[in-house]
Each structure stands twice: as structure tokens, then as C-alpha cells.
Amino acid sequence: MYAIIATGGKQYKVSEGDIIKVEKLEAEPGAVVTFDQVVAISDNGLKVAGEVANATVSATVMEQGRGKKIIVYKYKRKTGYHKKNGHRQAYTQVKIDKINA
């Protein structure tokens, strides 16, 4: 059984026991979060958004962190313009506990 959830502007395919990294959530490690935007659930057949109106997915927050640094380099030829920036995206690592369908 798996579910497709939406959080942070992205969609994730999850099963019970999966560990995923999602966009940063305001929760402490060890807290339980509930994802109520369930797009679809598959249990012997696929049920899409209208059929899973009150489905939820509960997960436990494992850690808060920041990803690897990404270099952003802007350059325009012949003008001497160049600019170098770095970015580290914040994430929350969660473990999927239960899919409530």
C-alpha cells in the first residue's frame, strides 16, 4: 500500500516505514506530523483525490537539517560581469508511520 502526498509544493510517493526529506516543517525532532493533502492511495486499486477525501498520513520527525551547498554562478561575456553565490536548502527528514485511508 502506498500514498501520494503533497507538501511544500512537491508530491511524494510514500509507504509505511519510508524515510523521506521534505521541505522544512516547523516541528521538533520526535514530534508527530500529519499530512492531510493526500492526492492518491493505492490498495489493490488506485483511488484518486475525490475518492480519498478524509485520508491522512502520519509521520514522525527525525531531524532538521540543511542540504549540500549549490553554487549559483552568473556570468555575462565581454562585460566583466560575474557573480558567485551559494545556497543550502533547509529540509526536514520524516519517517512515515501510518497511512490512514
Side-chain angles (χ1 to χ4, degrees):
M1 178 176 190
Y2 69 87
I4 299 174
I5 60 172
T7 180
K10 299 178 180 68
Q11 294 180 354
Y12 301 91
K13 179 182 174 183
V14 296
S15 306
E16 290 183 7
D18 284 355
I19 297 175
I20 60 171
K21 291 181 180 178
V22 297
E23 293 293 320
K24 185 175 170 101
L25 302 172
E26 294 299 325
E28 295 295 321
V32 176
V33 293
T34 302
F35 300 107
D36 56 352
Q37 285 188 323
V38 179
V39 178
I41 288 182
S42 174
D43 188 20
N44 297 333
L46 187 67
K47 296 178 189 168
V48 288
E51 301 169 3
V52 291
N54 54 2
T56 59
V57 175
S58 60
T60 304
V61 176
M62 297 182 71
E63 71 170 351
Q64 301 278 5
R66 294 174 71 194
K68 294 178 69 172
K69 182 176 271 193
I70 297 173
I71 302 299
V72 180
Y73 192 76
K74 297 179 179 179
Y75 173 78
K76 295 192 185 290
R77 63 189 183 129
K78 298 180 184 175
T79 61
Y81 172 79
H82 60 93
K83 187 173 186 177
K84 183 178 179 181
N85 282 328
H87 177 74
R88 291 181 68 189
Q89 184 67 34
Y91 68 85
T92 301
Q93 188 174 18
V94 297
K95 180 177 182 185
I96 305 300
D97 295 329
K98 186 157 175 64
I99 298 173
N100 305 313

